[in-house]
Amino acid sequence: MEMEASVLAALAAVVVASIFLVLPHLRKQSPSQDDRRRQLPPGSFGLPVVGQTVGLLRALRANTAEAWLRRWASEYGTVSKLSLFGLPTALLVGPAANKFLFASTALTAKTTTSFNSMVGRRNIRELAGDDHRRVRAMMVQFLKLDSVRSYVASMDDEVRHHIRAHWDGRATVAVMPSMKSLTFDIMCTVIFGLGRAEHAAVRRELSAEFQQLVRGIWAIPVNLPLTSYGKCLAASRRGRRAVAAVIGEKRAKLESGHSSPFDDLMTHMLAEGLADEDIIDNVMFMMVAAHDTTATLLTFLLRHLDGNREAYGRVVAEQQEVARSKAPGEALSWDDLGKMKYTWSAAMETLRLVPPVFSLLKRAVEDAEFDGHLIPKGWQVLGAMNMTQWDPAIFPEPGRFEPARFESPAPPYSFVAFGGGATVCPGNEFARVEALVAMHYIVTGFRWKLADGCDGSFSRYPLPSPAQGLLIDIEPMDTATTGAAGITK
């Protein structure tokens, strides 16, 4: 109740503060007579400014957002209109809608005002044209397949170090905080060249600030000291200062010849002449996008395996077979990851059930048409992944965890956790390797079950987050029996 009261109070402040600014904007975006004749989508904008924002945010917190959207779509169809964050929005549903979202040149990527405030407005999601292509090419340089192959040993080392520090000798582990720490450390080492020893302090500082600022991604943008948005914005400013300091250090090394443009992404961006503010914005974006999503996947994969012992047994058997082929303390190789097919199918099924990113938000840069309805220029366009990934006509018994679904390809545009078409996420292979390496050492090192009092419930605000961080009871596996390669001290 306290959280809902704060949301309503913040919204009231938005209405009072913005009434003279937002309403003229809405009038500009409201449909003309010509638009209405061209069949705008059915639906309702609700109250001015507020629209359906409060209802959706409440549903996200209560983990009822799929039901909320399904009710809306059942009433209005595959394309409908509503108002979110003060802007007219088209909600699109189904595989054809997913294809349109990923393929239409009339749409461009969009993030919320709060997201841009947290990471910066020059992040890759907000760039277009040559600027977007330039930054994407820099990121792909460090996420392409050949690069990811070379990261396996470094990821292996980070996972072993994390397990020794945070799992060994403990009876209970909170999975989500553990996985967030692990994936953040992997990203710092592999992508940004911030090693454990020489950058320990800045890694701790950045991790703390990012855990705070990510809570503000969907926050109502009321910048007051006691609001969630205000607190998260302060964390973002501190994080940006820390990143700026690292950029200064890397510039000095590059100019003195002590580093190469291909050592890490920040150095590469410097060598390519990207402005410091642009580097900071895109580093902030990647730090949010690259570690929280994989941490969510790993957390919910453990949760679902705990609830399906048959699938758990198959994952254990597969990982133990890999472990038996390794010498004690030997790192995993790229070939080893190719043997983990069922484990990755289980990960894909987890992404189907609990996609880390709830929705895809775009903006119409010109008038567009979908399913016979006009989406006017300037409107937001919202696609919700679970609306397709939980469709029983596509995935029978959609609430059942069944990794075997992904032993063959899913129908086109029905599973879009990594995007679709030409806009597939460039980091999908990085995430696959990261998840498989982590699962190998967890599965071969420990047995686990949900701790007493942990029911596995979770919220989707701002990202899927289990109650109590998903507390599990753990006990070490007998490596002499399993043949696990082990985590050397």
Side-chain angles (χ1 to χ4, degrees):
M1 292 300 293
E2 180 181 347
M3 183 178 293
E4 289 187 3
S6 67
V7 171
L8 292 174
L11 272 172
V14 171
V15 172
V16 171
S18 307
I19 189 103
F20 295 108
L21 297 174
V22 176
L23 289 182
H25 178 70
L26 285 176
R27 282 198 293 270
K28 276 189 224 177
Q29 298 292 346
S30 63
S32 66
Q33 291 293 333
D34 288 342
D35 288 340
R36 285 193 288 271
R37 283 196 293 271
R38 291 170 65 192
Q39 295 186 321
L40 286 172
S44 169
F45 289 131
L47 294 173
V49 181
V50 176
Q52 286 77 28
T53 306
V54 173
L56 180 57
L57 290 180
R58 282 177 171 170
L60 284 167
R61 287 189 174 94
N63 195 23
T64 59
E66 286 93 356
W68 190 95
L69 290 170
R70 202 169 297 282
R71 285 194 300 271
W72 189 273
S74 67
E75 182 172 357
Y76 296 115
T78 58
V79 54
S80 58
K81 68 174 182 282
L82 66 164
S83 175
L84 294 175
F85 302 102
L87 293 173
T89 304
L91 171 64
L92 308 185
V93 177
N98 290 339
K99 182 177 181 179
F100 174 76
L101 281 162
F102 289 115
S104 174
T105 57
L107 306 180
T108 189
K110 184 184 189 304
T111 49
T112 65
T113 298
S114 297
F115 183 95
N116 286 335
S117 297
M118 296 302 135
V119 306
R121 296 185 180 277
R122 293 285 294 173
N123 73 79
I124 190 171
R125 285 294 302 276
E126 288 294 300
L127 296 176
D130 290 342
D131 287 343
H132 179 275
R133 286 188 285 273
R134 182 186 183 201
V135 172
R136 182 180 171 88
M138 294 178 199
M139 291 182 177
V140 168
Q141 178 69 34
F142 290 85
L143 296 172
K144 62 185 180 182
L145 187 59
D146 286 347
S147 297
V148 174
R149 285 174 184 264
S150 70
Y151 299 154
V152 176
S154 296
M155 290 187 184
D156 186 286
D157 178 67
E158 284 289 349
V159 172
R160 291 181 189 229
H161 179 270
H162 181 86
I163 294 293
R164 287 196 301 268
H166 301 283
W167 288 57
D168 281 356
R170 301 195 179 192
T172 303
V173 170
V175 179
M176 179 65 93
S178 173
M179 294 300 97
K180 283 189 175 187
S181 174
L182 171 60
T183 56
F184 191 84
D185 286 346
I186 288 173
M187 178 186 57
C188 283
T189 295
V190 174
I191 300 295
F192 297 117
L194 302 175
R196 275 201 311 270
E198 63 273 31
H199 290 102
V202 72
R203 280 168 54 145
R204 285 194 301 270
E205 180 182 4
L206 284 171
S207 180
E209 303 303 356
F210 271 84
Q211 297 315 314
Q212 175 68 33
L213 77 84
V214 76
R215 299 187 182 102
I217 288 173
W218 279 78
I220 295 170
V222 179
N223 187 13
L224 297 174
L226 297 181
T227 63
S228 294
Y229 180 82
K231 293 175 183 177
C232 296
L233 198 57
S236 173
R237 288 192 292 267
R238 293 191 296 268
R240 293 178 71 84
R241 287 195 293 269
V243 173
V246 173
I247 290 173
E249 173 190 326
K250 290 186 178 294
R251 175 180 285 108
K253 287 185 177 180
L254 183 64
E255 291 175 350
S256 65
H258 289 92
S259 67
S260 158
F262 299 101
D263 284 351
D264 60 79
L265 181 58
M266 276 192 272
T267 304
H268 185 60
M269 287 178 165
L270 279 168
E272 290 293 314
L274 205 62
D276 283 16
E277 283 300 305
D278 287 15
I279 296 175
I280 293 171
D281 287 0
N282 284 287
V283 168
M284 299 285 281
F285 173 83
M286 283 198 70
M287 284 188 168
V288 171
H291 93 281
D292 253 16
T293 51
T294 308
T296 300
L297 164 60
L298 287 165
T299 299
F300 283 91
L301 178 51
L302 292 182
R303 174 181 178 268
H304 284 296
L305 289 176
D306 176 78
N308 187 317
R309 304 312 287 182
E310 179 184 355
Y312 169 73
R314 287 190 63 179
V315 169
V316 170
E318 183 174 80
Q319 295 300 335
Q320 287 180 346
E321 183 176 353
V322 172
R324 282 191 288 270
S325 70
K326 311 298 291 182
E330 182 184 359
L332 292 169
S333 68
W334 179 260
D335 289 342
D336 293 328
L337 303 183
K339 301 171 185 175
M340 302 179 185
K341 291 181 173 59
Y342 186 82
T343 304
W344 186 240
S345 291
M348 296 280 274
E349 176 71 341
T350 302
L351 289 171
R352 182 188 70 79
L353 288 164
V354 191
V357 179
F358 175 79
S359 63
L360 176 68
L361 191 62
K362 293 208 168 188
R363 176 173 57 88
V365 293
E366 58 187 67
D367 286 355
E369 185 176 315
F370 177 75
D371 201 15
H373 292 283
L374 169 70
I375 302 173
K377 177 181 177 180
W379 276 33
Q380 295 180 139
V381 184
L382 178 71
M385 294 165 182
N386 270 20
M387 297 289 286
T388 306
Q389 294 172 191
W390 278 69
D391 187 339
I394 302 171
F395 298 101
E397 297 183 72
R400 180 168 57 89
F401 180 73
E402 181 47 76
R405 298 182 204 272
F406 287 93
E407 291 179 346
S408 57
Y413 293 98
S414 60
F415 175 77
V416 291
F418 289 113
T423 57
V424 170
C425 173
N428 62 337
E429 196 63 29
F430 185 95
R432 185 184 76 89
V433 173
E434 188 176 26
L436 290 176
V437 173
M439 283 302 296
H440 176 78
Y441 288 108
I442 292 171
V443 166
T444 59
F446 304 91
R447 298 180 182 87
W448 77 86
K449 64 181 181 67
L450 290 184
D452 290 341
C454 181
D455 60 5
S457 62
F458 67 100
S459 166
R460 289 188 184 272
Y461 182 84
L463 297 174
S465 180
Q468 301 171 291
L470 193 71
L471 284 175
I472 60 171
D473 293 331
I474 62 173
E475 60 176 294
M477 296 278 272
D478 181 357
T479 56
T481 301
T482 64
I487 300 174
T488 56
K489 302 293 183 183

Coordinates of all heavy atoms in Angstrom, one line a residue, residues 61 64 92 122 159 166 222 264 267 325 357 402 471:
R61 N 4.3 -4.7 -10.9 CA 4.7 -5.0 -9.5 C 4.1 -6.2 -9.0 O 4.7 -7.0 -8.2 CB 4.4 -3.8 -8.6 CG 5.3 -2.6 -8.8 CD 5.0 -1.5 -7.7 NE 6.0 -0.4 -7.9 CZ 5.7 0.7 -8.5 NH1 4.6 0.9 -9.1 NH2 6.6 1.7 -8.6
T64 N 1.1 -9.4 -12.6 CA -0.1 -9.7 -13.3 C -0.2 -8.9 -14.6 O -1.3 -8.8 -15.2 CB -1.4 -9.4 -12.4 OG1 -1.3 -7.9 -12.1 CG2 -1.4 -10.2 -11.2
L92 N 0.6 -3.8 -29.9 CA 0.5 -4.8 -31.0 C 0.8 -6.2 -30.4 O 1.6 -6.4 -29.5 CB 1.6 -4.5 -32.0 CG 1.6 -3.1 -32.6 CD1 2.6 -3.1 -33.8 CD2 0.2 -2.7 -33.1
R122 N 22.3 9.6 -25.5 CA 23.1 9.2 -26.7 C 23.4 7.7 -26.7 O 24.3 7.3 -27.3 CB 24.4 10.0 -26.7 CG 24.2 11.5 -27.0 CD 23.8 11.8 -28.4 NE 24.9 11.5 -29.3 CZ 24.8 11.6 -30.7 NH1 23.6 11.9 -31.2 NH2 25.8 11.3 -31.4
V159 N 33.8 -17.0 -13.1 CA 32.8 -17.9 -12.4 C 33.4 -18.6 -11.3 O 32.9 -18.7 -10.2 CB 32.2 -18.8 -13.5 CG1 31.3 -19.9 -12.7 CG2 31.3 -18.1 -14.5
H166 N 31.5 -16.7 -2.9 CA 30.1 -16.4 -2.5 C 29.3 -17.7 -2.3 O 28.2 -17.6 -1.9 CB 29.4 -15.5 -3.6 CG 30.1 -14.2 -3.8 ND1 30.0 -13.2 -2.9 CD2 30.9 -13.7 -4.7 CE1 30.7 -12.1 -3.3 NE2 31.3 -12.4 -4.4
V222 N 9.8 12.0 -11.5 CA 9.6 13.1 -10.5 C 10.9 13.2 -9.8 O 11.2 12.4 -8.9 CB 8.4 12.9 -9.6 CG1 8.3 14.1 -8.6 CG2 7.1 12.7 -10.3
D264 N 39.8 -3.4 -25.2 CA 38.5 -3.4 -24.6 C 37.6 -2.3 -25.3 O 38.1 -1.5 -26.1 CB 38.6 -3.0 -23.1 CG 39.2 -1.7 -22.8 OD1 38.5 -0.7 -23.0 OD2 40.4 -1.6 -22.5
T267 N 38.3 1.6 -24.7 CA 39.5 2.0 -25.5 C 39.3 2.1 -27.0 O 39.7 3.0 -27.7 CB 40.7 1.1 -25.2 OG1 40.9 1.0 -23.7 CG2 42.0 1.6 -25.8
S325 N 35.2 -35.2 -18.7 CA 36.1 -35.1 -19.8 C 37.3 -34.1 -19.5 O 38.2 -34.0 -20.3 CB 35.4 -34.7 -21.1 OG 35.0 -33.3 -21.1
V357 N 13.3 -8.8 -20.4 CA 12.8 -7.5 -20.8 C 11.3 -7.7 -21.2 O 11.0 -8.5 -22.1 CB 13.5 -6.9 -22.0 CG1 12.9 -5.6 -22.5 CG2 15.0 -6.7 -21.7
E402 N 9.1 -26.8 -20.2 CA 9.4 -28.0 -21.0 C 10.5 -27.6 -22.0 O 10.3 -27.1 -23.1 CB 8.2 -28.4 -21.8 CG 8.4 -29.7 -22.6 CD 9.2 -30.8 -21.9 OE1 8.5 -31.4 -21.1 OE2 10.4 -30.9 -22.2
L471 N 16.0 -17.3 -2.5 CA 16.9 -18.0 -1.5 C 16.9 -19.5 -1.7 O 15.8 -20.1 -1.9 CB 16.4 -17.8 -0.1 CG 16.7 -16.4 0.5 CD1 16.0 -16.3 1.9 CD2 18.2 -16.1 0.7

